[in-house]
Amino acid sequence: MPTFQSDHPKRLVAIYVRVSTAEQNREGYSPEHQRKRLLEYIEGNPGLNLKSRPDLVFDDVGTGNDLNRPDLDRLRSLVKKKAIQGVIVWRIDRLSRNLKHLLMLFEEFQQHEVSFISLQENIDFTGPIGRLIFQIFGSLAQFERELIRGRTHAGKMTSAEMGNYIHGNTPYGYRKVPNPGTKGKKLELIEEEKRWVETIFDWYVYQGWGDLKIAKELNNRAVPVKSVRKGKRSEWTEIRVRRLLINSLYYGHCVSITKDEEGRRLAPHEQTITQVPPCVSEVLWRQAQKIRETRKGGRSEHPYLLSGKVVDVSADLEEPRKFVGAPRTKGGHCYRRKQVTNKSTGEKLSSFELPAKQLEDFVWSKIMSAFRDPRVFVKKYLNLQKQDERVRQIEASLKALRLRETQIKDIELPNSERAYLKGVFSEERFSRIQIELNQELEHAGEKIRDLEADLEGLVWVRTEAESLKSASSELNKRLQTLTREHKKMLCGLFVDRVDITRTEYPGKKRIVEADVYFRFNLSRLIEDAGAVCTPSAQTETAIADHLNTASDNVGGRYRSGKHLIHVSARYHKIQKRSRNPNFSNSYLVSAWRELS
């Protein structure tokens, strides 16, 4: 790269000025101040043979970490065209605060024989010494920025640990109020908005409404939203409702810090959590997340009653394979298992289809035989008093454990380390305390995970029970005229799985059998119904005691469906006589028959 010499012709240089918004009015940083000093430097140093023009003065307003700046882009375009011979700035960080960006720009200048001068540092970055100094100053600029970022991150973490809300927008249902003893602000509930949050979760979990329907209903009722940015529509949208429903803040679990100071994603147990006043219970929030998982993906125009439950467990398969609902080319619908290849033998096993109607009719007939009186069955199934008490116990334990976990991580461990550094603790005592606290922290983490798993099971039972309650109200009206959607919901509740076994025999004979596993106790259903529907001589206490006993046989620990009812059936081609003269004397009808 050539250097400036006094006997050379004057070289055309561009002046580049940048300020961030916060720096515009500070002495030494304003655009006017930078331009004035740079022009004085060019005019006051004739030995450098520099000159410039008004059209070569470039101004940008924005952060020094971003290269996407309009005037910088125009300047770089002139450099690539070799329309200028130099670039002059007031300080090196005016060009960029990022070392990687600085080096990239400097290489660009070198490639096109463009010199670079920084006035404040009083250095002409040309030649090998200039390049070395350039890198040193760039490293210092980046080091300063990283120090600021580190201090900012530490400040945010400390503020969050003190119970402050450190995010920008105030969430719906809350207002920001001063946090006593700190400089920050915490969240406080707005009772009216809290009631609407509860209503939104109720619609989603218990009414089965989707995000869009909830948003429309809120707009129809003219429920105001939180203040929005200028130019944006102030109404409820599908996205707004979805974000509210998945935000753990609404059960009091505000995730404040998710990344470290380098921008790397932290593991869940390393993230900083701030406890805020809850709008809904944790079990209700988890119900909503469980339901959201089941509603993912598109929906078929034809609801398959046993979708996701039919599995091929034939002996010639290396592992069970699921059937999927699919239309048939000849009309109708089926459950189809795709062609698979045996990895050990290389043998290809052809696809396998089961007519959907016959299998669904068989399973549905067994459910209807159990539903002699759906009202009574629901009363038995919805006995959740014991589970409600268990939910309260788990939530109280989780709250205490999470508080203790925060105390260890944010107070006791740092305090012991500071005491050791000041000489208050000996190395032996410090090591012992660290080991004990870390062991307690690990034990608390394991206990939290176990309790969350138990709570997940309770959520599953409650979700299933509430769905059944909704379905039962329809069954009580018209048992025989249910829509396929209602039937699919009931099959989802009562059918655990359907195992299909296909056995091939010589002479192309094939036997297909099904093992259907139901989640309720068929043998006790009529007895339970009789216990509730007896004359008034039977007391409510006796009924409740009987239902408690019955419910214990319905499910395992916190989760319905562990005690399954097994019904075996075989697929048959039944020969029947035809009464229609257009058909032959007999014809075949496919059906499933229960095996004894």
Side-chain angles (χ1 to χ4, degrees):
M1 182 184 294
T3 58
F4 294 124
Q5 300 293 336
S6 59
D7 57 345
H8 285 178
K10 287 190 179 291
R11 302 185 59 122
L12 191 62
V13 296
I15 294 173
Y16 182 73
V17 174
R18 181 190 66 80
V19 292
S20 63
T21 304
E23 295 170 339
Q24 287 181 359
N25 295 321
R26 286 171 53 187
E27 178 63 27
Y29 282 81
S30 68
E32 295 78 10
H33 181 84
Q34 292 182 49
R35 281 194 293 268
K36 180 181 177 182
R37 292 288 303 278
L38 292 172
L39 288 171
E40 288 176 352
Y41 179 81
I42 293 173
E43 295 172 359
N45 292 274
L48 296 178
N49 294 330
L50 304 179
K51 66 176 181 178
S52 186
R53 299 196 306 259
D55 61 314
L56 294 180
V57 178
F58 298 93
D59 294 309
D60 272 318
V61 176
T63 175
N65 285 325
D66 188 4
L67 281 183
N68 295 320
R69 293 174 245 151
D71 270 25
L72 180 59
D73 290 340
R74 288 192 283 272
L75 173 62
R76 293 172 68 185
S77 177
L78 291 177
V79 170
K80 292 173 183 177
K81 295 176 182 178
K82 295 186 178 181
I84 55 176
Q85 287 77 49
V87 174
I88 182 170
V89 297
W90 183 64
R91 239 176 68 168
I92 189 173
D93 64 358
R94 299 302 88 198
L95 190 64
S96 178
R97 290 184 181 270
N98 186 292
L99 178 58
K100 181 179 178 181
H101 293 165
L102 286 171
L103 294 176
M104 183 186 72
L105 291 171
F106 191 55
E107 287 175 4
E108 221 172 78
F109 296 162
Q110 283 183 306
Q111 182 182 355
H112 297 92
E113 299 182 343
V114 174
S115 300
F116 178 79
I117 299 174
S118 176
L119 176 59
Q120 189 70 12
E121 287 83 8
N122 196 24
I123 295 174
D124 180 357
F125 294 115
T126 57
I129 296 178
R131 286 194 294 273
L132 174 62
I133 298 173
F134 175 84
Q135 293 183 21
I136 292 173
F137 275 94
S139 298
L140 291 173
Q142 182 170 349
F143 177 66
E144 180 187 9
R145 177 60 66 182
E146 289 177 353
L147 284 179
I148 295 172
R149 185 172 62 210
R151 288 194 295 268
T152 302
H153 183 270
K156 286 184 176 180
M157 184 177 296
T158 303
S159 181
E161 289 168 355
M162 296 176 72
N164 293 324
Y165 182 74
I166 63 173
H167 299 293
N169 294 333
T170 306
Y172 186 83
Y174 298 89
R175 67 168 65 92
K176 289 182 182 179
V177 297
N179 189 0
T182 73
K183 295 181 179 180
K185 294 186 177 182
K186 64 178 183 179
L187 291 182
E188 181 182 78
L189 284 172
I190 301 174
E191 287 301 324
E192 184 178 355
E193 292 185 1
K194 175 180 180 291
R195 286 192 291 272
W196 278 115
V197 172
E198 293 172 340
T199 302
I200 290 170
F201 274 88
D202 181 78
W203 286 342
Y204 187 78
V205 173
Y206 299 128
Q207 303 297 326
W209 291 11
D211 303 334
L212 183 59
K213 184 175 181 180
I214 292 173
K216 288 181 177 178
E217 182 65 22
L218 291 170
N219 289 327
N220 290 339
R221 299 193 184 193
V223 178
V225 298
K226 217 71 171 178
S227 58
V228 294
R229 294 178 182 175
K230 187 177 180 180
K232 291 197 173 183
R233 300 173 64 186
S234 57
E235 63 178 19
W236 289 93
T237 63
E238 185 178 5
I239 295 176
R240 191 185 295 274
V241 172
R242 184 183 304 122
R243 287 175 178 171
L244 185 150
L245 287 168
I246 65 176
N247 193 345
S248 63
L249 174 141
Y250 287 102
Y251 78 85
H253 195 75
C254 177
V255 182
S256 298
I257 305 290
T258 59
K259 296 180 180 179
D260 62 14
E261 60 186 60
E262 300 296 330
R264 294 185 295 264
R265 188 82 180 180
L266 294 170
H269 66 277
E270 296 176 334
Q271 296 175 357
T272 302
I273 307 300
T274 304
Q275 299 300 322
V276 301
C279 283
V280 298
S281 67
E282 183 173 352
V283 68
L284 179 59
W285 184 86
R286 289 185 179 274
Q287 276 184 267
Q289 311 321 303
K290 196 72 178 177
I291 292 172
R292 184 164 292 280
E293 289 178 11
T294 63
R295 292 182 184 176
K296 286 181 179 177
R299 176 176 293 184
S300 170
E301 293 181 0
H302 177 82
Y304 292 87
L305 305 190
L306 303 174
S307 178
K309 297 183 179 295
V310 187
V311 184
D312 190 351
V313 295
S314 301
D316 52 355
L317 291 175
E318 291 182 301
E319 58 184 17
R321 297 279 180 169
K322 280 193 174 185
F323 288 78
V324 296
R328 305 183 74 178
T329 54
K330 296 180 180 181
H333 299 86
C334 69
Y335 291 95
R336 179 182 300 153
R337 191 261 295 147
K338 294 183 179 180
Q339 176 181 289
V340 294
T341 302
N342 190 313
K343 295 179 182 178
S344 58
T345 64
E347 178 187 2
K348 289 188 176 180
L349 303 175
S350 61
S351 61
F352 181 20
E353 288 187 359
L354 291 172
K357 185 178 186 306
Q358 289 82 347
L359 179 59
E360 290 175 349
D361 285 349
F362 173 78
V363 173
W364 183 251
S365 68
K366 298 305 172 186
I367 292 176
M368 287 297 97
S369 66
F371 261 78
R372 301 293 176 85
D373 191 336
R375 178 181 57 83
V376 174
F377 184 82
V378 169
K379 286 185 177 180
K380 176 177 76 69
Y381 197 81
L382 287 180
N383 182 36
L384 299 175
Q385 292 180 355
K386 291 182 179 179
Q387 291 156 352
D388 286 341
E389 180 61 31
R390 178 60 181 159
V391 166
R392 286 191 288 271
Q393 293 173 359
I394 289 177
E395 288 182 329
S397 299
L398 280 174
K399 184 177 181 180
L401 284 167
R402 286 167 178 160
L403 179 61
R404 180 59 184 152
E405 191 178 42
T406 302
Q407 289 175 340
I408 294 174
K409 287 195 299 185
D410 300 336
I411 300 175
E412 295 186 20
L413 281 172
N415 283 348
S416 66
E417 185 173 352
R418 283 192 289 269
Y420 170 68
L421 293 174
K422 292 179 179 179
V424 178
F425 287 171
S426 65
E427 184 176 353
E428 181 182 356
R429 183 181 179 186
F430 170 68
S431 177
R432 186 180 70 254
I433 290 174
Q434 288 280 311
I435 292 172
E436 291 174 353
L437 288 176
N438 280 307
Q439 286 177 346
E440 185 180 356
L441 188 63
E442 183 179 356
H443 177 73
E446 291 176 355
K447 188 66 176 175
I448 287 172
R449 288 190 290 273
D450 289 342
L451 289 173
E452 286 178 342
D454 286 349
L455 190 61
E456 191 76 16
L458 289 166
V459 169
W460 192 93
V461 172
R462 180 172 291 279
T463 302
E464 184 178 4
E466 292 296 340
S467 298
L468 174 61
K469 184 178 179 180
S470 174
S472 175
S473 63
E474 295 294 330
L475 284 171
N476 282 324
K477 296 175 184 177
R478 291 185 178 178
L479 192 60
Q480 301 301 326
T481 58
L482 295 174
T483 66
R484 286 192 66 84
E485 288 289 350
H486 285 126
K487 288 184 177 181
K488 180 179 179 179
M489 180 167 59
L490 288 174
C491 286
L493 293 175
F494 298 129
V495 180
D496 186 78
R497 68 184 190 275
V498 180
D499 291 346
I500 302 294
T501 305
R502 181 179 66 169
T503 308
E504 302 283 354
Y505 290 96
K508 297 184 177 180
K509 184 179 179 181
R510 174 188 294 174
I511 293 180
V512 179
E513 294 181 335
D515 293 308
V516 187
Y517 294 87
F518 295 94
R519 288 195 182 116
F520 48 77
N521 194 333
L522 291 170
S523 63
R524 297 199 53 158
L525 191 62
I526 297 176
E527 178 185 351
D528 295 337
V532 176
C533 296
T534 48
S536 57
Q538 192 170 18
T539 65
E540 292 185 4
T541 304
I543 294 173
D545 291 341
H546 181 82
L547 293 184
N548 287 339
T549 305
S551 290
D552 290 340
N553 291 330
V554 172
R557 183 181 181 223
Y558 314 137
R559 184 178 175 91
S560 171
K562 288 200 173 182
H563 296 170
L564 303 177
I565 304 306
H566 178 201
V567 178
S568 295
R570 180 173 293 172
Y571 190 61
H572 288 274
K573 297 287 186 179
I574 305 169
Q575 190 170 7
K576 288 191 174 183
R577 292 285 180 179
S578 174
R579 297 180 181 179
N580 191 328
N582 296 326
F583 290 93
S584 59
N585 292 334
S586 63
Y587 62 98
L588 294 177
V589 175
S590 58
W592 290 85
R593 282 186 176 177
E594 187 172 350
L595 299 177
S596 58

